[in-house]
Amino acid sequence: MGQKTNPIGMRLGIIRGWESNWYGNHKDYAGKLIEDHKIRTYLFARINKGGIAKIVIERTLGKLIITIHTSKPGIIIGKGGGEVDRIKEELKKLTNKDDVQINILEIRRPELDAAIVGDTIARQIENRINFKRAIKMSIASALRMGAEGIKVKVSGRLGGAEIARSEEIKQGRTPLHTLRMDIDYASVFAQTVYGKIGIKVWICKGEVLGKRELNPNFVGGKEGGERRDGGGDNRRGDDRGGFRGGDRRDNRGGGDNRGGGDRRDNRGGGHQGGGHQGGRR
């Protein structure tokens, strides 16, 4: 099941909150839903270079609060806050509401946000950079910033090939069935001259063991605490990796010590059995 469903939707109400927070009855629910879709579509098109990760929409009595999570707040705010005021006026016309409030939250570590990572890969593919190089660079930067694992899948006419195919590159671990594992997911596309290339990104940020506040804005503002938890997990992962690495070094050393004589014997007299066993150890 975890392989087929959207990892964010699967974790809603468990370790993730909804990106639209409002109540709608059977009369106005559809209208509010369509309005949310219009707002998001408009903002993603209007601020196409703003590094938007997600847009959280909240409604109270006659008031619309829109929180934009972005890695480039300066582009959205503009000089002296003029750009935000223009966007606010445009949203008032779009939604026919007088009271529209826009909040901007900065994402301090964009390398760990799936939407921004996917968008970065898409822009690089559009600029004719080799897709494998773009993916490997993103994977390296995510792991450097403390991700437990990352998986990227691209599909389409890769490199301008005649036949479309899909390729997947992953590193670390992304256990999709483990519901307490904080996995960020995004699906974006690159519009190239030879067609669309779809990009899916899964980023595993570690386990959430305590109770988490489900308001997405609260989670976004409290990234420091979560990062510390994730860092602890990563340190444990490093310890495990180092421990295994130590084993390998010991084995190699042991293998060389034991098998070194065997190999020399092989060259000189040919104790093949000993050489193979040393290699196996």
Side-chain angles (χ1 to χ4, degrees), residues 20 48 61 71 109 111 154 169 175 181 201-202:
S20 288
N48 60 348
L61 285 170
S71 60
R109 299 209 288 179
E111 294 90 353
V154 287
I169 300 174
M181 196 64 76
V201 181
W202 294 260

Side-chain angles (χ1 to χ4, degrees), residues 71-88:
S71 60
K72 300 171 186 172
I75 291 175
I76 299 172
I77 294 166
K79 198 172 182 181
E83 192 67 23
V84 169
D85 295 335
R86 274 195 291 276
I87 292 169
K88 191 187 284 187

Side-chain angles (χ1 to χ4, degrees), residues 1-12 14-16 148 151 173-184 202-209 212 233 236:
M1 190 66 186
Q3 300 290 329
K4 300 178 188 74
T5 59
N6 188 310
I8 293 171
M10 196 172 181
R11 285 160 180 79
L12 282 178
I14 300 167
I15 61 163
R16 281 195 73 122
E148 278 207 6
K151 179 167 73 169
R173 63 194 197 115
T174 49
L176 301 181
H177 279 75
T178 310
L179 291 179
R180 66 170 178 260
M181 196 64 76
D182 186 7
I183 290 178
D184 197 12
W202 294 260
I203 297 177
C204 175
K205 300 179 187 175
E207 287 181 306
V208 179
L209 298 172
R212 178 185 269 189
D233 289 338
R236 286 201 297 276

Side-chain angles (χ1 to χ4, degrees), residues 123-137:
R123 298 293 82 80
Q124 287 177 304
I125 289 174
E126 284 174 356
N127 292 330
R128 295 172 186 261
I129 289 173
N130 186 304
F131 72 95
K132 278 188 181 174
R133 185 170 171 232
I135 291 169
K136 283 175 181 174
M137 280 163 59

Side-chain angles (χ1 to χ4, degrees), residues 1-110:
M1 190 66 186
Q3 300 290 329
K4 300 178 188 74
T5 59
N6 188 310
I8 293 171
M10 196 172 181
R11 285 160 180 79
L12 282 178
I14 300 167
I15 61 163
R16 281 195 73 122
W18 286 259
E19 288 177 14
S20 288
N21 289 323
W22 42 264
Y23 173 77
N25 56 31
H26 66 281
K27 289 178 184 173
D28 61 356
Y29 180 87
K32 287 179 177 177
L33 189 67
I34 291 165
E35 193 173 86
D36 278 11
H37 180 66
K38 273 186 193 171
I39 290 168
R40 288 201 174 92
T41 307
Y42 171 74
L43 286 175
F44 277 117
R46 172 78 166 74
I47 317 166
N48 60 348
K49 290 180 182 172
I52 295 177
K54 64 180 174 182
I55 296 165
V56 179
I57 299 171
E58 296 170 277
R59 296 169 196 270
T60 55
L61 285 170
K63 191 173 185 180
L64 183 65
I65 303 165
I66 298 167
T67 308
I68 302 171
H69 294 246
T70 173
S71 60
K72 300 171 186 172
I75 291 175
I76 299 172
I77 294 166
K79 198 172 182 181
E83 192 67 23
V84 169
D85 295 335
R86 274 195 291 276
I87 292 169
K88 191 187 284 187
E89 291 304 316
E90 289 161 10
L91 284 173
K92 281 180 184 176
K93 286 179 188 172
L94 184 74
T95 58
N96 294 322
K97 285 186 174 58
D98 297 326
D99 197 355
V100 175
Q101 182 183 329
I102 295 178
N103 301 327
I104 292 164
L105 276 181
E106 183 182 3
I107 293 171
R108 301 224 173 256
R109 299 209 288 179

